[in-house]
Amino acid sequence: MHTQRFYTLTASCPDRSGIVARVSGFLAQHGGWIFESNMHTDHDTQRYFLRIEIRADSIPFMLAEFRERFRPIAAELNMDWKISDSTVKKRVVLMVSKQEHCLYDLIGRWQSKELDIEIPCVISNHETFRGLVEWHGIPFHHVPVTADNKPAAYAEVRRIFDEVRGDVMVLARYMQIIPPDMCRDYPGQIINIHHSFLPSFVGAKPYHQAHTRGVKLIGATCHYVTEELDQGPIIDQDVIRVDHSDSVEDMVRYGKDIEKAVLARGLRYHLEDRVLVHGNKTVVFR
């Protein structure tokens, strides 16, 4: 990462000739200094993806004016696009149930500045980690979820997220299903860690299922949450080898390590605007 302030322009559009020329020409016209540039054509969808980091002090106007000046080019190219400022920290709301490993890991990375974010609060359907969270000076909200109160519970989650001006919601082993309307209203803003690399092991005790089947690889998947359970666009994945000598307990322990690493990495890609999504297609510029 650069120590100097920079803007990140991300976009996708139907593929055609002249895209790079139009965008880079606009930047050159205004003295834009490019730190980093990534491009990719998806041949299946015929869609072009790009990510450009621009030295902020090389542009003679602020982001609001940049957006106004760039908008006609984006319209001409039929682009989905956004631009962000590296000095504006993202506000990450963590959600957790009764498994602590991902929560501990993300709070540790936040405290060490490895993740340069703000954590305005933690939301949980249990009281289990109130002491840990508040000890770190982070507000804790207990929002119980039962079969009878789900609409009210998730209305409260929405209220809290909006009130703290959250940018992204991270399900750090939050063991409840986010309702469809909430998935629709916050597209690309809810990130989950799925405790399986192989989607055949769904539901409870995936590592027990994997052990019974004698698998040789276990892993984890970081993805955006959509209305279709555990089928959202994939941000990152990883695996580790296991063999017949590993017990279920061993596999659970290995799995927790992978879950922590994949969730943190996937969140970082999201925060740095390295994930571009079109439909269920993701392009991740690492």
Side-chain angles (χ1 to χ4, degrees):
M1 293 294 292
H2 318 293
T3 56
Q4 290 178 293
R5 180 184 182 187
F6 61 93
Y7 300 142
T8 303
L9 172 66
T10 56
S12 73
C13 61
D15 198 13
R16 50 167 277 190
S17 64
I19 298 171
V20 174
R22 291 294 283 127
V23 175
S24 60
F26 168 82
L27 295 174
Q29 176 188 349
H30 298 291
W33 183 325
I34 296 176
F35 277 139
E36 181 179 318
S37 179
N38 304 99
M39 287 96 176
H40 173 72
T41 295
D42 182 69
H43 296 291
D44 293 334
T45 60
Q46 285 298 296
R47 197 158 184 90
Y48 192 75
F49 298 84
L50 64 87
R51 177 185 184 276
I52 301 175
E53 292 180 2
I54 309 148
R55 181 169 159 174
D57 62 8
S58 70
I59 300 290
F61 37 74
M62 303 300 287
L63 280 190
E65 187 173 347
F66 184 106
R67 292 185 179 99
E68 287 303 313
R69 289 174 178 257
F70 188 72
R71 190 167 283 116
I73 294 174
E76 172 194 331
L77 297 172
N78 195 22
M79 275 185 170
D80 295 328
W81 67 286
K82 67 176 182 178
I83 187 164
S84 61
D85 185 339
S86 66
T87 61
V88 178
K89 292 185 180 182
K90 301 289 177 63
R91 297 174 64 79
V92 180
V93 172
L94 303 180
M95 297 184 66
V96 66
S97 289
K98 285 188 172 181
Q99 296 189 41
E100 72 281 7
H101 54 290
C102 289
L103 176 68
Y104 281 9
D105 184 71
L106 292 177
I107 289 178
R109 293 175 193 264
W110 161 75
Q111 193 169 45
S112 67
K113 303 297 184 183
E114 180 183 336
L115 284 175
D116 192 19
I117 60 176
E118 294 182 7
I119 303 179
C121 68
V122 172
I123 302 173
S124 179
N125 56 324
H126 297 281
E127 286 276 9
T128 311
F129 301 117
R130 178 182 291 277
L132 166 77
V133 171
E134 293 182 342
W135 186 85
H136 283 88
I138 302 170
F140 181 90
H141 298 277
H142 177 218
V143 182
V145 179
T146 67
D148 298 325
N149 80 337
K150 284 189 177 181
Y154 285 106
E156 176 65 3
V157 170
R158 284 170 172 263
R159 186 196 66 78
I160 294 168
F161 185 74
D162 293 340
E163 185 177 85
V164 301
R165 295 175 289 107
D167 293 304
V168 59
M169 192 181 304
V170 176
L171 310 186
R173 303 298 282 129
Y174 179 73
M175 305 306 291
Q176 294 289 327
I177 297 174
I178 303 299
D181 62 328
M182 194 165 163
C183 297
R184 289 193 299 270
D185 292 343
Y186 297 94
Q189 289 182 270
I190 309 175
I191 293 175
N192 187 36
I193 185 67
H194 183 52
H195 51 210
S196 177
F197 182 73
L198 302 173
S200 57
F201 302 124
V202 298
K205 297 187 175 180
Y207 295 111
H208 291 71
Q209 297 177 56
H211 184 265
T212 299
R213 288 285 301 278
V215 302
K216 300 300 180 277
L217 288 172
I218 59 172
T221 300
C222 178
H223 65 92
Y224 290 112
V225 175
T226 61
E227 296 176 63
E228 193 175 359
L229 182 63
D230 291 332
Q231 299 297 314
I234 292 171
I235 304 171
D236 196 52
Q237 293 180 298
D238 207 351
V239 295
I240 187 172
R241 287 195 173 276
V242 294
D243 63 28
H244 58 275
S245 66
D246 290 305
S247 66
V248 171
E249 291 74 22
D250 292 330
M251 291 170 67
V252 169
R253 188 173 69 254
Y254 303 155
K256 286 182 176 181
D257 285 341
I258 300 171
E259 289 167 22
K260 290 185 294 185
V262 171
L263 181 57
R265 194 162 60 231
L267 176 58
R268 180 168 59 82
Y269 291 154
H270 172 85
L271 297 172
E272 294 178 1
D273 294 313
R274 295 185 178 276
V275 187
L276 281 72
V277 180
H278 180 70
N280 213 40
K281 170 70 71 173
T282 52
V283 171
V284 183
F285 293 119
R286 293 179 174 84

